[in-house]
Amino acid sequence: MIDRKNSAARLAGSHKHLAVPFSATLRHVTVAVSLAVFGVAPQAYAQTAATQIHIQQQSLSDALLQLGQQTSLQFIYASDLVRGYTAQPINGTMSPEEALRRLLAGTGIEYSREGNTINLWRPTDSTTQLKSITVTGRSLATTEDTGSYAARDVTIGKSAQSLREIPQSVSVMTRTQMDDQGFTRVADALNYVTGIRSSSYSDTELFTSRGFNTNIQYDGVPTQQGALGPGVPHQDLAIYDRLEVLRGPTGLLTGSGEPGGSINMVRKRPTDEFRLEGAVGVGSWDNYRAEADISGPMNENGTLRGRLVGVYQDKSQYYTYGKNNPQLLYGVLEYDLGQNTTVGITGLYSKMNFRVFNGLPLYDDGSLPGYDTFLGTTKLSGHETFELGADLKHRFGEGWEFKANYSHKENNYKGYSAMALTPVSVETGLTSGWAGRINNTFTWDQLDANVTGPFQLLGREHFVTVGYNWARYDTTSSSRFSAFPDWDAFNDFDYGALDLPLLNKSQDITTQSGLYASTRLSLTDNLTAVVGGRWSNYDLKSRDLKPTTSPWQKSDAKADNKFTPFAGLVFDVNEQISVYGSYAETFVPQSDSDYSGKTLEPRKGWQMEAGVKGEFLDGRLNTSLAVYRLRDTNRAVVDTDHIGCGNSPTGTCYRGSGLVQSQGWEFEIVGSPLAGWDLGAGYTYTDVRVREDSDHEVEGQRFNSNLIPKHLFRMWTQYKFAPDDFGGSLRGWSVGAGVQSQSNLYTNSVYQGGYTTVSAKLGYQPNKHWEALLVINNLFDKRYLESVGHGTFLNLYGAPRNAMLTVKYRY
């Protein structure tokens, strides 16, 4: 078992350096492809290549930590094994194993090697009696190349922590599961995560959990949200190592934000050994895709590493005139300034050309058009995104680290869209419509810096995180729309002069900053307290830019030193099971005013949660069971006793007395119960209702009934046939199946009953280099509404049965 109380302090994030200059990679690629074509496996790079190693005289545990940071090795050993030993200094060019032998000389400690993982033990030890394991080397949070659905650690809370250390519900979609299911879109992957459901338009989806929207982080840094207008597309899954999901309020991490939770999208980083991956795919509706991923060291000693990921896809849709053409290029460089300091630079460019589809209206008899019906313009819209970032990590020693991350991202959107304003006449096929164009520019700047590490108090070791982050979100928007009466919306896609000059332009800037701190206090050998808080500042200002520039107007939606606390307890029942309880908060500023002219206080979301988590089969299987109650309080509701607000004698007044309550439970099991069998399954029960409102008729009714099903079940399972199964006749083959099932959703206009969809996969891997997989989604061609809308828009069918065949090559 991993010693969870100390693992975060010991995971120093070493880099697996390999003496292969990037200038030589083209030769290696050529040789690898040639050998693979002829069925011959290329020789692996020598994992014993000599490298420069410098280790000072210090404790053996710290010396092993430094060796892991400087070489390709990762060490696993019993906590007491190295205690009391002092390692002699090492300085020179040698193989990693030679350096290890020198460090272990005279200790009686032996080792075995599997790949780059080194297991240490004393010959008299019994591995079945180990109570804790210390891991030194590359962070176990990385899921790439693990072959596992069960994540060891997550980094959504700044430092690497095991799932059992976090007293809240956490799920991880690993790189392995994404690859096994053939996912390429963020929404497709998250829709298989326990308790998460996507909504809104394709590729710009919002994600809900426990009755509310969730917040987005990239590499642990929260992104300021809140823009109006078309959403910004999610990037292709090819650039991500994993998706981490924490359900419930996350004010400690994000400051202001909806109480549904946070999704941390962790991007790939350069590898310490050369690798090349490529894939081509073809699927339903003229879906063609190609991607490439090359990574590795770029100089002789591996201190400079790089990675480049490219994606091109062109696809139609199941409905008429559907079109999407995403393209992406992502690059990252890492450089070790010294053995304890690493800097990184990232860059991203993406482009997406598509046709906007805002969903179908109803006919005036209440029926829906067919699933292949399109409403909109055939003119192509486009998103173009640029991003640059830099990060720094410095290891002070004794488990202390400093990390800083800054990024700048711009998105330019030029779109054409149309929607109905009235239901479509059954007799004439005509409706009244609205069509035009939008030009938006979104700009994000965000910074996070934190220090983490262990400290001693009252004879016990504890862990602390202190940090600061700042985010600025700048959006400019302009649009022009025209009315189209008596419009044959399902047959006429020519909207005339959609390129008329834009008549208006406005700008909004949202800024948020905050200081946060948390600590894990080891109260006893089995009991840990987690406490923390964040002090946040939030402000929003806006102005008109066209036809004339107006002065900045500061919004009343603001916060000054708003404090959001967090507290939790984790009790380790034994080496496999922990129970926990926690209290968490978040807040959302409001701009509405009461009858006295005072701006309402921010909404406050708070949650109490209790649960049990299990880690079995040496970490290959994770389970969790949680119950919770979440309340969103002080919501603005209409004050029916007063009028005359908003600088108008008849203006609506508000009061902060609304209350929405969500409560429920969830269960999850993820991992490998048996050799060759992978499983990810989760069930969620969510009862979210309006408890207090000035409109008493809605009290007791479901909240967000078009977004949140009461019952939600997700499962994916796969079996890879062993070499001796069926006499070896199925060697290299794998089969998988997925189930997505949920209860009803509805609005005042549209009702969607509960439904279940099934997917299937057939895979074949003849050797370690080549793999083919065929994925069939909606196997039984279930007809359903993926988005339950209103009388005139937002009704979107789920995709009918479709298939994708992908061939991959790995070197």
Side-chain angles (χ1 to χ4, degrees), residues 61-117:
S61 62
D62 286 340
L64 291 171
L65 184 64
Q66 279 199 355
L67 183 59
Q69 293 167 358
Q70 297 178 39
T71 69
S72 61
L73 301 181
Q74 175 176 280
F75 303 100
I76 301 178
Y77 54 87
S79 298
D80 296 335
L81 182 65
V82 299
R83 186 170 298 162
Y85 289 104
T86 299
Q88 296 303 309
I90 297 176
N91 188 18
T93 300
M94 66 192 74
S95 70
E97 280 198 62
E98 173 60 25
L100 175 61
R101 284 192 289 268
R102 294 189 186 188
L103 291 179
L104 298 181
T107 65
I109 297 173
E110 297 186 3
Y111 71 91
S112 62
R113 179 170 183 167
E114 182 176 352
N116 286 338
T117 300

Side-chain angles (χ1 to χ4, degrees), residues 305-326:
R305 301 169 297 280
R307 189 161 197 165
L308 187 66
V309 180
V311 176
Y312 179 88
Q313 189 167 2
D314 191 12
K315 60 181 178 179
S316 299
Q317 301 288 359
Y318 62 88
Y319 50 84
T320 307
Y321 295 110
K323 174 72 172 179
N324 199 351
N325 177 215

Side-chain angles (χ1 to χ4, degrees), residues 108-153:
I109 297 173
E110 297 186 3
Y111 71 91
S112 62
R113 179 170 183 167
E114 182 176 352
N116 286 338
T117 300
I118 302 292
N119 289 277
L120 304 180
W121 79 93
R122 193 177 303 281
T124 57
D125 287 344
S126 173
T127 56
T128 61
Q129 296 177 351
L130 294 179
K131 293 185 178 181
S132 62
I133 293 291
T134 297
V135 181
T136 301
R138 187 179 179 184
S139 171
L140 294 182
T142 301
T143 67
E144 189 176 30
D145 297 329
T146 65
S148 176
Y149 293 5
R152 292 278 188 168
D153 290 310

Side-chain angles (χ1 to χ4, degrees), residues 207 214-218 221-223 225 234 254 261-263 265:
F207 303 102
T214 57
N215 311 290
I216 300 296
Q217 300 182 38
Y218 293 97
V221 181
T223 298
Q225 302 178 77
H234 304 293
T254 62
S262 283
I263 299 169
M265 302 185 185

